[in-house]
């Protein structure tokens, strides 16, 4: 899976923003990775649907997952970090979420809720004009 996805990546470099002086002004260290989820052969069609559903905010209009890294002053290190981010993002999106087990509120929590409601009602009652 990993090699297939790596071969499908499209990368783009540009100048990083922020501090760094002359080095930042003349070198392209920022790395942007684009991976087309819909056209990928690295994942199954079921996984594609799951990725599209969970990562819809990170996927652009062309159907590409966009990852950016400009953490270090080295383009090679930034590419490695961006690739790691990409695979971590994919792995997290493909994880099955645990099903919630329904539970009943305890007697103590029910009593506390009712007591709190009574207290709040009493406070509001005291706010009223005594002539009403």
């Amino acid at each position: 899976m990993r090699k297939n996805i790596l071969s499908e990546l499209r990368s783009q470099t540009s100048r990083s923003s922020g501090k760094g002086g002359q080095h930042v002004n003349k070198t392209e260290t920022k790395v942007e990775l684009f991976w087309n989820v819909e056209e990928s052969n690295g994942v199954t069609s079921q996984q594609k649907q799951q990725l599209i559903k969970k990562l819809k905010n990170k996927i652009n209009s062309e159907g590409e997952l966009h990852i950016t890294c400009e953490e270090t002053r080295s383009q090679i290190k930034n590419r490695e970090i961006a690739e790691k981010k990409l695979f971590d993002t994919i792995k997290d999106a493909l994880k099955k979420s645990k099903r919630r087990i329904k539970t009943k509120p305890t007697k103590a929590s029910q009593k506390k809720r009712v007591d709190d409601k009574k207290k709040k009602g009493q406070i509001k009652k005291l706010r009223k004009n005594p002539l009403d």
Side-chain angles (χ1 to χ4, degrees), residues 104-132:
K104 288 185 177 178
T106 61
K107 291 269 187 200
S109 67
Q110 287 175 339
K111 186 179 181 326
K112 184 180 181 294
R113 184 180 63 83
V114 172
D115 290 345
D116 288 346
K117 283 180 79 167
K118 283 182 182 174
K119 238 186 244 178
K120 190 64 103 175
Q122 192 65 28
I123 290 168
K124 288 183 177 185
K125 198 174 190 181
L126 292 171
R127 284 187 205 147
K128 283 188 176 179
N129 192 350
L131 300 175
D132 284 344

Side-chain angles (χ1 to χ4, degrees), residues 37-101:
V37 180
E38 295 164 350
E39 295 178 8
S40 175
N41 295 322
V43 289
T44 65
S45 58
Q46 185 182 2
Q47 289 174 329
K48 286 179 192 178
Q49 289 173 350
Q50 194 173 352
L51 287 169
I52 291 167
K53 182 180 173 187
K54 287 197 178 176
L55 301 174
K56 62 183 169 196
N57 295 335
K58 293 184 179 188
I59 295 175
N60 63 19
S61 59
E62 288 95 49
E64 293 177 325
L65 179 62
H66 181 215
I67 302 288
T68 306
C69 182
E70 56 181 325
E71 293 173 17
T72 67
R73 293 175 63 169
S74 164
Q75 187 184 102
I76 295 166
K77 285 182 184 174
N78 280 341
R79 182 170 175 97
E80 289 170 2
I81 293 168
E83 286 174 1
K84 186 181 181 325
K85 274 186 191 179
L86 174 80
F87 287 111
D88 288 345
T89 304
I90 292 170
K91 191 171 113 183
D92 288 344
L94 292 176
K95 267 186 193 171
K96 276 194 171 181
S97 55
K98 291 183 179 179
R99 288 190 62 172
R100 184 183 176 279
I101 300 169

